[in-house]
Amino acid sequence: MTIRNCRRKAQWYLVRELATIKDNEERAIQLNFEAKGQGHAEDDYMVEDRDNFCVICGSTDSLTLHHVVPYVYRQWFPLTIKSKSSRDLLLVCKHCHDQYERYATSFKKNLATKYELPLEGKGWVRVPENRTARKAASALLRAADKLPPQRKQELETIVKDFWERKKQEISTMEAIQTIKKDKEEKEACNDDESVDWQVLDWQEVLQKCCELQELFQGPDFIEHGQGVVRHLMVKETVDDNNGKERWPDLEDFVKEWRQHFLDHSKPKHLSERWTVDGEIYTH
């Protein structure tokens, strides 16, 4: 296999003695091994030399790698697409990145509405009593000496009732554990955090209540990106040429993000070889 017109890549192979310079051909090397896969066409974006500057404005300061298809989605892609991500990693400066991300966030919000999958994920379980106990304990820790006596007593009652319920839950759990004979099942039922409620003093209870969370990921919780990609992979086909799997909706999704980047960042220094229709799969 011959590599042409890619100085840095050629040098990488040469210094490792993985290639030799071809005779009678300028800027070409011959690999000393048989490369796997089909590789890239000679005129493809992936084989050209690229310098370190922002593809949007040309700046060489504060550069960062920008994921054209956000990682929140790409992490859930099948490997045959995910492993091709280097094509959609572009150098941009921090200023241009921040400017574009405003448009990208808006696009994500539209996707959240379209697929009924909030950006924070779907399937959260709310525990209202945790919020009530947290607010009461916080008020008592912050300004107990400034509260009217009646209000202070109300807040203390809220926390004490919560505390008592937690201790009762522990007693119930311990009773269940005494019935179970399998050691592993016992360990699975043991909740170290809950056991603490039995031995805490009042100040420790207040502090612990202030750390309570109101929302938990339920058994059916799904992340925004995971849900979107799952929806896009419902339609699956097989390529007639190589028998490999393809996901037409996922292909369109990748191209949609590429076009979105071009439309909203208007890159002035991006290679003409980088196109919306560039390769998506590794096969």
Side-chain angles (χ1 to χ4, degrees):
M1 179 178 180
T2 301
I3 295 180
R4 298 180 179 85
N5 301 321
C6 191
R7 183 178 63 257
R8 291 176 183 170
K9 287 187 178 181
Q11 188 63 26
W12 189 92
Y13 285 106
L14 289 171
V15 297
R16 291 166 175 78
E17 298 183 349
L18 297 175
T20 54
I21 298 176
K22 286 201 70 177
D23 296 332
N24 304 322
E25 189 168 351
E26 186 179 358
R27 297 186 66 187
I29 62 173
Q30 179 70 45
L31 296 182
N32 297 331
F33 59 92
E34 187 67 28
K36 294 183 178 180
Q38 298 177 348
H40 300 284
E42 290 187 18
D43 60 347
D44 188 76
Y45 166 76
M46 296 301 295
V47 301
E48 70 176 11
D49 284 338
R50 293 188 289 277
D51 294 317
N52 293 329
F53 53 75
C54 174
V55 300
I56 298 175
C57 71
S59 172
T60 57
D61 297 327
S62 303
L63 297 176
T64 184
L65 277 175
H66 171 68
H67 292 77
V68 175
V69 181
Y71 181 73
V72 67
Y73 305 110
R74 184 171 285 280
Q75 65 175 317
W76 302 106
F77 283 5
L79 185 61
T80 185
I81 296 180
K82 184 163 57 177
S83 59
K84 203 73 172 180
S85 62
S86 56
R87 180 180 296 273
D88 293 318
L89 283 174
L90 301 176
L91 274 179
V92 299
C93 67
K94 186 179 184 303
H95 173 73
C96 290
H97 183 269
D98 292 344
Q99 292 288 104
Y100 171 72
E101 280 303 306
R102 293 185 300 173
Y103 298 107
T105 299
S106 178
F107 190 20
K108 291 176 188 175
K109 289 179 179 179
N110 291 338
L111 291 170
T113 300
K114 178 179 179 179
Y115 295 106
E116 298 182 348
L117 282 162
L119 294 180
E120 63 273 17
K122 188 175 183 178
W124 290 95
V125 176
R126 188 179 300 275
V127 185
E129 66 172 7
N130 281 13
R131 180 174 183 271
T132 302
R134 186 181 69 239
K135 291 182 66 176
S138 178
L140 288 169
L141 280 178
R142 187 176 61 250
D145 57 337
K146 300 178 182 179
L147 293 169
Q150 183 177 353
R151 179 56 178 163
K152 180 180 178 181
Q153 185 177 2
E154 291 174 353
L155 295 175
E156 288 178 345
T157 299
I158 290 174
V159 175
K160 288 177 180 178
D161 288 347
F162 179 84
W163 186 13
E164 186 61 32
R165 287 195 297 273
K166 297 301 289 185
K167 288 191 290 185
Q168 290 177 359
E169 290 175 5
I170 294 169
S171 297
T172 302
M173 185 65 69
E174 289 177 342
I176 294 175
Q177 287 188 33
T178 59
I179 297 174
K180 293 182 179 294
K181 296 181 180 180
D182 187 279
K183 182 179 179 181
E184 291 184 358
E185 290 183 346
K186 276 187 172 184
E187 293 175 349
C189 289
N190 186 31
D191 188 337
D192 292 334
E193 185 178 14
S194 295
V195 172
D196 289 343
W197 291 98
Q198 293 181 321
V199 297
L200 298 179
D201 61 31
W202 176 242
Q203 286 300 314
E204 290 172 331
V205 168
L206 291 177
Q207 185 60 49
K208 196 164 186 65
C209 284
C210 288
E211 299 169 359
L212 291 170
Q213 296 182 0
E214 181 186 358
L215 292 175
F216 297 89
Q217 294 181 0
D220 298 322
F221 177 81
I222 186 170
E223 293 188 23
H224 166 75
Q226 181 183 13
V228 170
V229 172
R230 182 179 295 178
H231 179 89
L232 294 169
M233 291 181 65
V234 169
K235 183 179 178 182
E236 180 182 333
T237 63
V238 176
D239 193 314
D240 294 333
N241 296 322
N242 55 28
K244 302 291 186 179
E245 294 174 310
R246 291 185 53 223
W247 296 271
D249 291 340
L250 203 52
E251 295 171 22
D252 291 340
F253 184 73
V254 171
K255 293 177 182 179
E256 194 173 7
W257 272 105
R258 289 174 176 175
Q259 189 63 57
H260 185 274
F261 178 76
L262 293 177
D263 292 343
H264 293 85
S265 69
K266 296 179 171 43
K268 299 180 178 63
H269 302 271
L270 179 59
S271 169
E272 293 182 355
R273 292 179 177 179
W274 191 92
T275 65
V276 171
D277 295 320
E279 292 181 4
I280 294 176
Y281 297 95
T282 53
H283 55 69

